[in-house]
Amino acid sequence: MRESELFEPVRRLFDSMGYRVNAEVMDCDVTASKNDELIIIELKKNLSVALLAQALERQKTGAVVYVAVPRPKRYSPKTFRDTLYVIKKLEIGLIFVTLRGEHSFAEIIQTPEEFRPVRVRVKQRRSIEKEISGRCIDKNEGGVTGTKITTAFREKNIRVGCLLQKHGKLSPKQLKVFTGDDCGGLLYRNYYGWFERVEKGIYTLTEKGASEMKDYPELYAYYTEKANKENR
């Protein structure tokens, strides 16, 4: 497929809307003009960062800018949502061209429009900040999938587990002396199955907890040492 095959469907699209269409004008692939309105369309075989950068450069002319690419074989608004959001934020228009020989056609998927400022998600930001402040040792590797992630919640479970491993049995009130946090909910919900209530308000570490904590050697070593240094 050649980029030039995209031109004719794009030309027909804008011609049908009453624009005067020209090709290769001052390094612009396609221009469409009507009265005082100027549109620039860049044609490419693939939607890429380089194409979007080129479109942003064309915006410096004051023109309305579109990028035109072949329609993806598995396109749907849902799967393409994030990409459309990026293009919308850049205030660029998007055109898909369906290539079917003499029956090829172009369609506008998104028109350029002024992008409203992003609405800050305060709760989401606070959750991120809380997670960051809850971590003492971060051994996660960014960008990986299918591996165990050490969260602040898991780290808190390991800290409580190491304290129970040293002292045998503790109440939430006693644990708070060490951690400074209320651990009652964590022990009661027992998300990982690491803790066991042996009597009212008193908890101990299960064999499962003692074993699985060691899957996080850096945190286990850190909180074991910390527990050995702390006194009630």
Side-chain angles (χ1 to χ4, degrees), residues 116-129:
R116 296 179 180 179
V118 175
R119 182 179 177 183
V120 177
R121 297 178 179 176
V122 178
K123 289 180 66 176
Q124 185 177 10
R125 180 187 174 94
R126 287 176 180 168
S127 295
I128 292 172
E129 291 174 339

mmCIF file with all atom_site columns, all heavy atoms in Angstrom, residues 116-129:
data_model
loop_
_atom_site.group_PDB
_atom_site.id
_atom_site.type_symbol
_atom_site.label_atom_id
_atom_site.label_alt_id
_atom_site.label_comp_id
_atom_site.label_asym_id
_atom_site.label_entity_id
_atom_site.label_seq_id
_atom_site.pdbx_PDB_ins_code
_atom_site.Cartn_x
_atom_site.Cartn_y
_atom_site.Cartn_z
_atom_site.occupancy
_atom_site.B_iso_or_equiv
_atom_site.pdbx_formal_charge
_atom_site.auth_seq_id
_atom_site.auth_comp_id
_atom_site.auth_asym_id
_atom_site.auth_atom_id
_atom_site.pdbx_PDB_model_num
ATOM 1   N N   . ARG A 1 116 ? -10.684 20.961 26.593 1.00 0.00 ? 116 ARG A N   1
ATOM 2   C CA  . ARG A 1 116 ? -10.882 21.532 27.920 1.00 0.00 ? 116 ARG A CA  1
ATOM 3   C C   . ARG A 1 116 ? -9.818  20.994 28.879 1.00 0.00 ? 116 ARG A C   1
ATOM 4   O O   . ARG A 1 116 ? -9.395  19.840 28.764 1.00 0.00 ? 116 ARG A O   1
ATOM 5   C CB  . ARG A 1 116 ? -12.270 21.187 28.450 1.00 0.00 ? 116 ARG A CB  1
ATOM 6   C CG  . ARG A 1 116 ? -13.397 21.799 27.612 1.00 0.00 ? 116 ARG A CG  1
ATOM 7   C CD  . ARG A 1 116 ? -14.750 21.400 28.181 1.00 0.00 ? 116 ARG A CD  1
ATOM 8   N NE  . ARG A 1 116 ? -15.833 21.973 27.384 1.00 0.00 ? 116 ARG A NE  1
ATOM 9   C CZ  . ARG A 1 116 ? -17.121 21.775 27.631 1.00 0.00 ? 116 ARG A CZ  1
ATOM 10  N NH1 . ARG A 1 116 ? -17.482 20.990 28.652 1.00 0.00 ? 116 ARG A NH1 1
ATOM 11  N NH2 . ARG A 1 116 ? -18.042 22.332 26.874 1.00 0.00 ? 116 ARG A NH2 1
ATOM 12  N N   . PRO A 1 117 ? -9.400  21.811 29.844 1.00 0.00 ? 117 PRO A N   1
ATOM 13  C CA  . PRO A 1 117 ? -8.386  21.346 30.812 1.00 0.00 ? 117 PRO A CA  1
ATOM 14  C C   . PRO A 1 117 ? -8.825  20.054 31.505 1.00 0.00 ? 117 PRO A C   1
ATOM 15  O O   . PRO A 1 117 ? -10.013 19.842 31.743 1.00 0.00 ? 117 PRO A O   1
ATOM 16  C CB  . PRO A 1 117 ? -8.301  22.508 31.809 1.00 0.00 ? 117 PRO A CB  1
ATOM 17  C CG  . PRO A 1 117 ? -8.756  23.702 31.036 1.00 0.00 ? 117 PRO A CG  1
ATOM 18  C CD  . PRO A 1 117 ? -9.803  23.197 30.081 1.00 0.00 ? 117 PRO A CD  1
ATOM 19  N N   . VAL A 1 118 ? -7.848  19.226 31.810 1.00 0.00 ? 118 VAL A N   1
ATOM 20  C CA  . VAL A 1 118 ? -8.124  17.956 32.464 1.00 0.00 ? 118 VAL A CA  1
ATOM 21  C C   . VAL A 1 118 ? -8.677  18.201 33.866 1.00 0.00 ? 118 VAL A C   1
ATOM 22  O O   . VAL A 1 118 ? -8.148  19.010 34.626 1.00 0.00 ? 118 VAL A O   1
ATOM 23  C CB  . VAL A 1 118 ? -6.840  17.101 32.561 1.00 0.00 ? 118 VAL A CB  1
ATOM 24  C CG1 . VAL A 1 118 ? -7.094  15.831 33.355 1.00 0.00 ? 118 VAL A CG1 1
ATOM 25  C CG2 . VAL A 1 118 ? -6.330  16.775 31.163 1.00 0.00 ? 118 VAL A CG2 1
ATOM 26  N N   . ARG A 1 119 ? -9.726  17.501 34.202 1.00 0.00 ? 119 ARG A N   1
ATOM 27  C CA  . ARG A 1 119 ? -10.290 17.590 35.546 1.00 0.00 ? 119 ARG A CA  1
ATOM 28  C C   . ARG A 1 119 ? -9.489  16.696 36.482 1.00 0.00 ? 119 ARG A C   1
ATOM 29  O O   . ARG A 1 119 ? -9.366  15.503 36.258 1.00 0.00 ? 119 ARG A O   1
ATOM 30  C CB  . ARG A 1 119 ? -11.759 17.152 35.535 1.00 0.00 ? 119 ARG A CB  1
ATOM 31  C CG  . ARG A 1 119 ? -12.448 17.270 36.893 1.00 0.00 ? 119 ARG A CG  1
ATOM 32  C CD  . ARG A 1 119 ? -13.892 16.840 36.780 1.00 0.00 ? 119 ARG A CD  1
ATOM 33  N NE  . ARG A 1 119 ? -14.544 16.887 38.085 1.00 0.00 ? 119 ARG A NE  1
ATOM 34  C CZ  . ARG A 1 119 ? -15.813 16.508 38.292 1.00 0.00 ? 119 ARG A CZ  1
ATOM 35  N NH1 . ARG A 1 119 ? -16.541 16.066 37.269 1.00 0.00 ? 119 ARG A NH1 1
ATOM 36  N NH2 . ARG A 1 119 ? -16.333 16.587 39.493 1.00 0.00 ? 119 ARG A NH2 1
ATOM 37  N N   . VAL A 1 120 ? -8.935  17.296 37.507 1.00 0.00 ? 120 VAL A N   1
ATOM 38  C CA  . VAL A 1 120 ? -8.090  16.546 38.437 1.00 0.00 ? 120 VAL A CA  1
ATOM 39  C C   . VAL A 1 120 ? -8.945  15.597 39.280 1.00 0.00 ? 120 VAL A C   1
ATOM 40  O O   . VAL A 1 120 ? -9.952  16.010 39.868 1.00 0.00 ? 120 VAL A O   1
ATOM 41  C CB  . VAL A 1 120 ? -7.305  17.502 39.369 1.00 0.00 ? 120 VAL A CB  1
ATOM 42  C CG1 . VAL A 1 120 ? -6.484  16.699 40.380 1.00 0.00 ? 120 VAL A CG1 1
ATOM 43  C CG2 . VAL A 1 120 ? -6.400  18.404 38.542 1.00 0.00 ? 120 VAL A CG2 1
ATOM 44  N N   . ARG A 1 121 ? -8.555  14.332 39.315 1.00 0.00 ? 121 ARG A N   1
ATOM 45  C CA  . ARG A 1 121 ? -9.228  13.336 40.145 1.00 0.00 ? 121 ARG A CA  1
ATOM 46  C C   . ARG A 1 121 ? -8.546  13.302 41.507 1.00 0.00 ? 121 ARG A C   1
ATOM 47  O O   . ARG A 1 121 ? -7.562  12.595 41.714 1.00 0.00 ? 121 ARG A O   1
ATOM 48  C CB  . ARG A 1 121 ? -9.189  11.964 39.470 1.00 0.00 ? 121 ARG A CB  1
ATOM 49  C CG  . ARG A 1 121 ? -9.933  11.943 38.131 1.00 0.00 ? 121 ARG A CG  1
ATOM 50  C CD  . ARG A 1 121 ? -9.822  10.585 37.471 1.00 0.00 ? 121 ARG A CD  1
ATOM 51  N NE  . ARG A 1 121 ? -10.553 10.548 36.209 1.00 0.00 ? 121 ARG A NE  1
ATOM 52  C CZ  . ARG A 1 121 ? -10.563 9.498  35.386 1.00 0.00 ? 121 ARG A CZ  1
ATOM 53  N NH1 . ARG A 1 121 ? -9.883  8.413  35.708 1.00 0.00 ? 121 ARG A NH1 1
ATOM 54  N NH2 . ARG A 1 121 ? -11.251 9.537  34.256 1.00 0.00 ? 121 ARG A NH2 1
ATOM 55  N N   . VAL A 1 122 ? -9.080  14.100 42.418 1.00 0.00 ? 122 VAL A N   1
ATOM 56  C CA  . VAL A 1 122 ? -8.450  14.292 43.720 1.00 0.00 ? 122 VAL A CA  1
ATOM 57  C C   . VAL A 1 122 ? -8.331  12.972 44.477 1.00 0.00 ? 122 VAL A C   1
ATOM 58  O O   . VAL A 1 122 ? -7.288  12.665 45.055 1.00 0.00 ? 122 VAL A O   1
ATOM 59  C CB  . VAL A 1 122 ? -9.239  15.323 44.559 1.00 0.00 ? 122 VAL A CB  1
ATOM 60  C CG1 . VAL A 1 122 ? -8.604  15.479 45.942 1.00 0.00 ? 122 VAL A CG1 1
ATOM 61  C CG2 . VAL A 1 122 ? -9.272  16.666 43.837 1.00 0.00 ? 122 VAL A CG2 1
ATOM 62  N N   . LYS A 1 123 ? -9.390  12.161 44.482 1.00 0.00 ? 123 LYS A N   1
ATOM 63  C CA  . LYS A 1 123 ? -9.367  10.899 45.219 1.00 0.00 ? 123 LYS A CA  1
ATOM 64  C C   . LYS A 1 123 ? -8.302  9.966  44.664 1.00 0.00 ? 123 LYS A C   1
ATOM 65  O O   . LYS A 1 123 ? -7.610  9.277  45.425 1.00 0.00 ? 123 LYS A O   1
ATOM 66  C CB  . LYS A 1 123 ? -10.741 10.235 45.167 1.00 0.00 ? 123 LYS A CB  1
ATOM 67  C CG  . LYS A 1 123 ? -11.809 10.946 45.991 1.00 0.00 ? 123 LYS A CG  1
ATOM 68  C CD  . LYS A 1 123 ? -13.147 10.244 45.909 1.00 0.00 ? 123 LYS A CD  1
ATOM 69  C CE  . LYS A 1 123 ? -13.107 8.875  46.553 1.00 0.00 ? 123 LYS A CE  1
ATOM 70  N NZ  . LYS A 1 123 ? -14.438 8.214  46.561 1.00 0.00 ? 123 LYS A NZ  1
ATOM 71  N N   . GLN A 1 124 ? -8.181  9.922  43.342 1.00 0.00 ? 124 GLN A N   1
ATOM 72  C CA  . GLN A 1 124 ? -7.182  9.050  42.729 1.00 0.00 ? 124 GLN A CA  1
ATOM 73  C C   . GLN A 1 124 ? -5.771  9.511  43.085 1.00 0.00 ? 124 GLN A C   1
ATOM 74  O O   . GLN A 1 124 ? -4.892  8.699  43.385 1.00 0.00 ? 124 GLN A O   1
ATOM 75  C CB  . GLN A 1 124 ? -7.355  9.034  41.212 1.00 0.00 ? 124 GLN A CB  1
ATOM 76  C CG  . GLN A 1 124 ? -6.434  8.057  40.501 1.00 0.00 ? 124 GLN A CG  1
ATOM 77  C CD  . GLN A 1 124 ? -6.679  8.014  39.010 1.00 0.00 ? 124 GLN A CD  1
ATOM 78  O OE1 . GLN A 1 124 ? -7.413  8.838  38.453 1.00 0.00 ? 124 GLN A OE1 1
ATOM 79  N NE2 . GLN A 1 124 ? -6.079  7.060  38.349 1.00 0.00 ? 124 GLN A NE2 1
ATOM 80  N N   . ARG A 1 125 ? -5.562  10.837 43.082 1.00 0.00 ? 125 ARG A N   1
ATOM 81  C CA  . ARG A 1 125 ? -4.251  11.371 43.445 1.00 0.00 ? 125 ARG A CA  1
ATOM 82  C C   . ARG A 1 125 ? -3.907  11.032 44.900 1.00 0.00 ? 125 ARG A C   1
ATOM 83  O O   . ARG A 1 125 ? -2.791  10.614 45.213 1.00 0.00 ? 125 ARG A O   1
ATOM 84  C CB  . ARG A 1 125 ? -4.229  12.887 43.251 1.00 0.00 ? 125 ARG A CB  1
ATOM 85  C CG  . ARG A 1 125 ? -2.884  13.515 43.618 1.00 0.00 ? 125 ARG A CG  1
ATOM 86  C CD  . ARG A 1 125 ? -2.951  15.026 43.583 1.00 0.00 ? 125 ARG A CD  1
ATOM 87  N NE  . ARG A 1 125 ? -1.710  15.605 44.069 1.00 0.00 ? 125 ARG A NE  1
ATOM 88  C CZ  . ARG A 1 125 ? -0.688  15.982 43.302 1.00 0.00 ? 125 ARG A CZ  1
ATOM 89  N NH1 . ARG A 1 125 ? -0.771  15.838 41.994 1.00 0.00 ? 125 ARG A NH1 1
ATOM 90  N NH2 . ARG A 1 125 ? 0.396   16.510 43.827 1.00 0.00 ? 125 ARG A NH2 1
ATOM 91  N N   . ARG A 1 126 ? -4.891  11.197 45.787 1.00 0.00 ? 126 ARG A N   1
ATOM 92  C CA  . ARG A 1 126 ? -4.655  10.902 47.202 1.00 0.00 ? 126 ARG A CA  1
ATOM 93  C C   . ARG A 1 126 ? -4.341  9.429  47.418 1.00 0.00 ? 126 ARG A C   1
ATOM 94  O O   . ARG A 1 126 ? -3.519  9.068  48.262 1.00 0.00 ? 126 ARG A O   1
ATOM 95  C CB  . ARG A 1 126 ? -5.869  11.310 48.030 1.00 0.00 ? 126 ARG A CB  1
ATOM 96  C CG  . ARG A 1 126 ? -6.011  12.829 48.188 1.00 0.00 ? 126 ARG A CG  1
ATOM 97  C CD  . ARG A 1 126 ? -7.283  13.187 48.921 1.00 0.00 ? 126 ARG A CD  1
ATOM 98  N NE  . ARG A 1 126 ? -7.411  14.639 49.070 1.00 0.00 ? 126 ARG A NE  1
ATOM 99  C CZ  . ARG A 1 126 ? -8.528  15.253 49.462 1.00 0.00 ? 126 ARG A CZ  1
ATOM 100 N NH1 . ARG A 1 126 ? -9.611  14.523 49.750 1.00 0.00 ? 126 ARG A NH1 1
ATOM 101 N NH2 . ARG A 1 126 ? -8.565  16.565 49.574 1.00 0.00 ? 126 ARG A NH2 1
ATOM 102 N N   . SER A 1 127 ? -4.989  8.554  46.635 1.00 0.00 ? 127 SER A N   1
ATOM 103 C CA  . SER A 1 127 ? -4.723  7.123  46.737 1.00 0.00 ? 127 SER A CA  1
ATOM 104 C C   . SER A 1 127 ? -3.286  6.804  46.336 1.00 0.00 ? 127 SER A C   1
ATOM 105 O O   . SER A 1 127 ? -2.618  5.979  46.962 1.00 0.00 ? 127 SER A O   1
ATOM 106 C CB  . SER A 1 127 ? -5.699  6.336  45.860 1.00 0.00 ? 127 SER A CB  1
ATOM 107 O OG  . SER A 1 127 ? -7.020  6.482  46.325 1.00 0.00 ? 127 SER A OG  1
ATOM 108 N N   . ILE A 1 128 ? -2.810  7.474  45.280 1.00 0.00 ? 128 ILE A N   1
ATOM 109 C CA  . ILE A 1 128 ? -1.431  7.264  44.826 1.00 0.00 ? 128 ILE A CA  1
ATOM 110 C C   . ILE A 1 128 ? -0.449  7.750  45.884 1.00 0.00 ? 128 ILE A C   1
ATOM 111 O O   . ILE A 1 128 ? 0.531   7.072  46.215 1.00 0.00 ? 128 ILE A O   1
ATOM 112 C CB  . ILE A 1 128 ? -1.187  7.998  43.489 1.00 0.00 ? 128 ILE A CB  1
ATOM 113 C CG1 . ILE A 1 128 ? -2.013  7.337  42.371 1.00 0.00 ? 128 ILE A CG1 1
ATOM 114 C CG2 . ILE A 1 128 ? 0.298   8.000  43.132 1.00 0.00 ? 128 ILE A CG2 1
ATOM 115 C CD1 . ILE A 1 128 ? -1.996  8.084  41.066 1.00 0.00 ? 128 ILE A CD1 1
ATOM 116 N N   . GLU A 1 129 ? -0.721  8.937  46.431 1.00 0.00 ? 129 GLU A N   1
ATOM 117 C CA  . GLU A 1 129 ? 0.168   9.499  47.446 1.00 0.00 ? 129 GLU A CA  1
ATOM 118 C C   . GLU A 1 129 ? 0.184   8.634  48.710 1.00 0.00 ? 129 GLU A C   1
ATOM 119 O O   . GLU A 1 129 ? 1.230   8.450  49.333 1.00 0.00 ? 129 GLU A O   1
ATOM 120 C CB  . GLU A 1 129 ? -0.261  10.930 47.781 1.00 0.00 ? 129 GLU A CB  1
ATOM 121 C CG  . GLU A 1 129 ? -0.019  11.910 46.639 1.00 0.00 ? 129 GLU A CG  1
ATOM 122 C CD  . GLU A 1 129 ? -0.576  13.286 46.900 1.00 0.00 ? 129 GLU A CD  1
ATOM 123 O OE1 . GLU A 1 129 ? -1.492  13.419 47.761 1.00 0.00 ? 129 GLU A OE1 1
ATOM 124 O OE2 . GLU A 1 129 ? -0.111  14.242 46.249 1.00 0.00 ? 129 GLU A OE2 1
#
